Amino acid sequence: MKLWKSPILYFGVLLVLAVGAALAAPYVVDWGRYRPTIEAYGSDLAGRKLVVAGPVSARVFPWPRLTLEDVRVANVAGASTPEFLTAERVDIRLSLSGFLNGSILVEGIELTRPRIAIERMATGSGNWRVVSSPNLLKTGLLSHIKLDQITVRDGTIDLIDARRSGAAEIGSVELILSSPALGGPWRVRGSGKYKDEPIELSIDTGSYRQDAPFKFGFRVAPADGSGLAFSFDGENDGSRVAGQLKIEPAPQIGGKTDAEGDLRPLVLRAQAASDFDTLELKKIEIAPRDGEPGANLVSGEAMVRLGEIIGIDAQFTASRFDLDSIAGARARKLLREGRALTLLESVVEGMPANLEARTELKIRSLVAGGETLENVRLDVAVLDGALRIHELSAGMPGQSEGLFDGIFLVTDSGPQLAGDVALASQNLREFVRWAWPEGNEWIATHWTGSRGRLKLQSRVDLLNDKYRATEVSFEIDDTHHSGSLAVTGGPEPHTDIVLKSDTLDLDSFISGGLLGGTGMALIQKFTQPVSATKIKPWPHLSLVLTADRLRLNGTDAHDTTIEIASSAQSLDLRRVDIGRVGDAKLD
């Protein structure tokens, strides 16, 4: 057979011509002629107008590719932005094998620098729902389209809530979306930046079916291992989202969480339901992530109002909570140094500016500082960046009960706590031992008399290094007293005490009287010089005492005034006036 008669020759010539035509097509075919067809098909698919404002190009060999530049998808009526989606470039990669079986196999779509605006409009409806044209749905074409992967490069997501006048932007978005079909199920993995902080995002959905709830789950977490991670698994029935919510500290690099902060890792789990105006949380459980099941468990429920102002009403209870076991290294350090207000300041500064909340917490048994507080109740409101404490009460050691009502706020001078305090104790000695652990050894040795019964009311004002109690009124063993107290910290701490008593019986508390063995030990604590063995000198103290009746060393002194000033080295008796001791008077 001659070569020119061979079918192999003709097949080879046809193959060369086909390859040549495919290679030359991008240069000789005006793909812009197909722009109206592409825009019409895209508009039918998106259910809103699609415009390709830039060039249109295509390549057939070796793999089909369609490239669209400056693509814009219109927004729905009433949205705050004209475009729902814009992209500098869209590359669509197709598979040749799909054409052989009547399908359109999209191997991948790559969007370069897209921007998408997701908005809840003033009417309450969302702009994110995509409804394809009924005419396109009737053709059944969508069932023949198979999708492999969509890649987003350097994208931006605008989150807009017109009802709340709120907006947020997620930039530097890198996403990979994969699905076997347009209707799902979808799998999304990626990252971005919110307020210049890197975040990681993952979304998984079920398949979309008309008249059936849409199942989905997501997780958002800081990429650097700081802050909180939020995850949700539930469904949307078209009007309400419901499912399981979980909030936990984000794992650091290596899978660990930060145990050196204010608190050790706590996990919140709840049944959540939201209609975008309210978020209802039921069966809330807050517990240490690495603790024993059921230990340190706080349960409750909350209602969140999602308006321009975020409102929260919550109630929590716990049978037993061990604060010592969950306090992180920083929290323990601040508490040891007496800087609890600094710890509370970090909590307040982390709250949103548009937050109004009212929370009630009841703990039957609270372990703090190695001691157990009973029937703890905290009723606190958040308003204008301040904490309004309606009630903080607890049963304390010494058969004592305390109550505080006041306000905490952050000022230019630092965090400040001010309010009214009420205290009742059946065993003042045991209460002081708990409140002043550094003095336990001295109390056990020298406070050997009456244990004391106390009823007290006072106004208090606390800064980090200052404490002031005014309008102090109290009873000890049925004797009445009043006065004020001011304590200033810093390198040279100073204490000012003003005390006025109807009757002050010192002998009943100090065995042997003030000038006896135990009483001299008390004076020695004021007067003992500072030596190399002293870790802390006694703070500077100023005391003004007036008593209608003062019982001292077995003797009653009437109309007494005593002024004392101390330093680290000495005790100065500045004034001692005794109106009457028997028939004598002393100045």
Side-chain angles (χ1 to χ4, degrees):
M1 179 182 294
K2 296 184 179 298
L3 181 62
W4 61 272
K5 295 182 178 180
S6 172
I8 298 177
L9 174 62
Y10 296 117
F11 180 78
V13 172
L14 290 174
L15 181 62
V16 171
L17 291 175
V19 171
L23 293 174
Y27 304 100
V28 299
V29 176
D30 181 11
W31 295 101
R33 293 184 302 170
Y34 297 95
R35 185 193 310 273
T37 303
I38 295 171
E39 291 180 341
Y41 180 76
S43 299
D44 286 342
L45 182 63
R48 56 193 78 183
K49 186 175 179 58
L50 180 144
V51 175
V52 181
V56 178
S57 59
R59 185 180 67 187
V60 179
F61 189 84
W63 308 111
R65 176 189 290 265
L66 177 65
T67 299
L68 314 174
E69 297 187 35
D70 194 3
V71 178
R72 306 172 188 177
V73 179
N75 220 329
V76 297
S80 59
T81 59
E83 279 102 14
F84 172 70
L85 170 69
T86 61
E88 289 188 10
R89 180 185 177 103
V90 178
D91 289 299
I92 305 172
R93 300 189 307 275
L94 303 173
S95 173
L96 284 172
S97 62
F99 297 108
L100 300 178
N101 58 23
S103 299
I104 302 176
L105 295 183
V106 181
E107 290 188 340
I109 299 176
E110 184 171 310
L111 286 78
T112 302
R113 284 183 286 278
R115 190 176 195 114
I116 183 171
I118 300 176
E119 178 178 359
R120 183 177 73 142
M121 296 177 292
T123 59
S125 59
N127 73 332
W128 51 82
R129 188 172 183 181
V130 175
V131 180
S132 299
S133 168
N135 294 330
L136 182 64
L137 295 175
K138 289 179 181 179
T139 64
L141 181 61
L142 294 182
S143 62
H144 294 280
I145 297 178
K146 307 299 180 183
L147 182 65
D148 185 13
Q149 181 174 291
I150 298 177
T151 303
V152 174
R153 302 294 185 194
D154 193 17
T156 302
I157 300 175
D158 293 312
L159 302 175
I160 305 169
D161 192 336
R163 276 198 168 183
R164 294 174 49 202
S165 300
E169 178 183 301
I170 303 176
S172 303
V173 176
E174 303 286 333
L175 294 178
I176 296 179
L177 304 83
S178 58
S179 174
L182 287 176
W186 284 90
R187 175 184 172 91
V188 182
R189 298 291 184 271
S191 62
K193 284 187 176 181
Y194 176 65
K195 295 183 177 179
D196 294 326
E197 297 294 331
I199 61 173
E200 294 178 346
L201 172 68
S202 63
I203 303 174
D204 292 280
T205 78
S207 298
Y208 174 77
R209 294 182 177 85
Q210 194 171 5
D211 300 327
F214 181 63
K215 298 183 181 297
F216 70 99
F218 70 84
R219 187 176 189 275
V220 180
D224 59 0
S226 63
L228 298 175
F230 297 81
S231 57
F232 177 83
D233 186 12
E235 62 183 29
N236 182 1
D237 63 4
S239 61
R240 194 170 175 85
V241 174
Q244 297 292 324
L245 174 67
K246 182 179 180 181
I247 304 175
E248 61 184 329
Q252 296 178 318
I253 298 175
K256 296 182 178 180
T257 53
D258 183 11
E260 299 302 316
D262 295 339
L263 296 175
R264 296 189 182 277
L266 297 174
V267 178
L268 180 148
R269 293 180 175 87
Q271 291 183 358
S274 175
D275 59 3
F276 294 101
D277 290 321
T278 59
L279 171 62
E280 185 178 7
L281 300 176
K282 292 186 175 181
K283 296 184 178 180
I284 299 174
E285 292 185 352
I286 305 174
R289 181 165 62 182
D290 302 324
E292 298 179 3
N296 279 344
L297 177 64
V298 177
S299 58
E301 57 185 26
M303 177 63 74
V304 183
R305 300 178 300 279
L306 303 174
E308 291 188 21
I309 301 296
I310 299 176
I312 301 177
D313 293 302
Q315 300 82 36
F316 298 98
T317 61
S319 58
R320 187 179 187 276
F321 196 83
D322 189 345
L323 184 60
D324 295 342
S325 67
I326 68 167
R330 178 175 177 269
R332 293 195 301 270
K333 182 175 184 293
L334 291 175
L335 291 174
R336 283 196 304 268
E337 296 174 350
R339 297 169 59 198
L341 296 188
T342 300
L343 184 61
L344 193 57
E345 178 185 19
S346 64
V347 175
V348 172
E349 290 182 339
M351 295 186 304
N354 60 337
L355 175 66
E356 292 183 0
R358 182 74 179 263
T359 301
E360 183 180 7
L361 171 63
K362 296 179 180 179
I363 303 176
R364 185 178 303 171
S365 179
L366 174 67
V367 179
E371 293 287 348
T372 301
L373 309 182
E374 303 292 343
N375 300 320
V376 178
R377 184 174 186 268
L378 173 63
D379 182 357
V380 61
V382 179
L383 183 63
D384 296 331
L387 296 182
R388 176 67 175 90
I389 303 172
H390 294 280
E391 178 181 342
L392 174 58
S393 59
M396 294 168 286
Q399 302 177 42
S400 305
E401 294 181 355
L403 173 65
F404 176 80
D405 176 2
I407 189 170
F408 174 86
L409 66 161
V410 179
T411 68
D412 294 338
S413 302
Q416 183 176 8
L417 180 69
D420 297 314
V421 170
L423 176 66
S425 177
Q426 296 299 315
N427 191 331
L428 181 58
R429 179 172 53 199
E430 291 303 312
F431 175 78
V432 173
R433 291 184 61 180
W434 169 73
W436 183 37
E438 296 84 356
N440 273 347
E441 182 179 352
W442 186 90
I443 293 173
T445 303
H446 304 296
W447 189 338
T448 57
S450 171
R451 62 186 183 181
R453 299 187 312 276
L454 172 70
K455 291 182 180 180
L456 177 144
Q457 290 183 333
S458 174
R459 291 281 300 172
V460 296
D461 192 351
L462 286 79
L463 291 171
N464 264 334
D465 58 351
K466 295 181 180 179
Y467 170 81
R468 183 176 61 179
T470 58
E471 302 177 25
V472 181
S473 176
F474 60 100
E475 295 180 5
I476 299 180
D477 292 340
D478 299 323
T479 61
H480 297 275
H481 313 268
S482 61
S484 64
L485 170 66
V487 179
T488 303
E492 294 187 0
H494 198 282
T495 302
D496 293 291
I497 301 174
V498 176
L499 178 61
K500 181 178 181 181
S501 301
D502 294 341
T503 298
L504 181 59
D505 187 353
L506 296 178
D507 289 355
S508 66
F509 299 100
I510 302 175
S511 178
L514 186 60
L515 298 180
T518 57
M520 290 303 295
L522 174 62
I523 296 176
Q524 190 177 22
K525 287 190 69 69
F526 287 92
T527 60
Q528 187 177 38
V530 178
S531 65
T533 60
K534 282 282 186 179
I535 299 176
K536 289 183 178 180
W538 186 267
H540 296 274
L541 176 98
S542 173
L543 169 64
V544 177
L545 167 65
T546 60
D548 295 339
R549 174 176 172 265
L550 174 63
R551 186 163 184 80
L552 179 66
N553 301 310
T555 303
D556 288 338
H558 299 272
D559 301 327
T560 300
T561 300
I562 300 176
E563 293 185 16
I564 297 175
S566 75
S567 65
Q569 290 80 22
S570 64
L571 173 67
D572 294 331
L573 296 175
R574 293 183 173 178
R575 178 184 178 189
V576 179
D577 291 341
I578 301 178
R580 178 170 59 86
V581 180
D583 295 329
K585 180 180 178 181
L586 173 66
D587 291 335

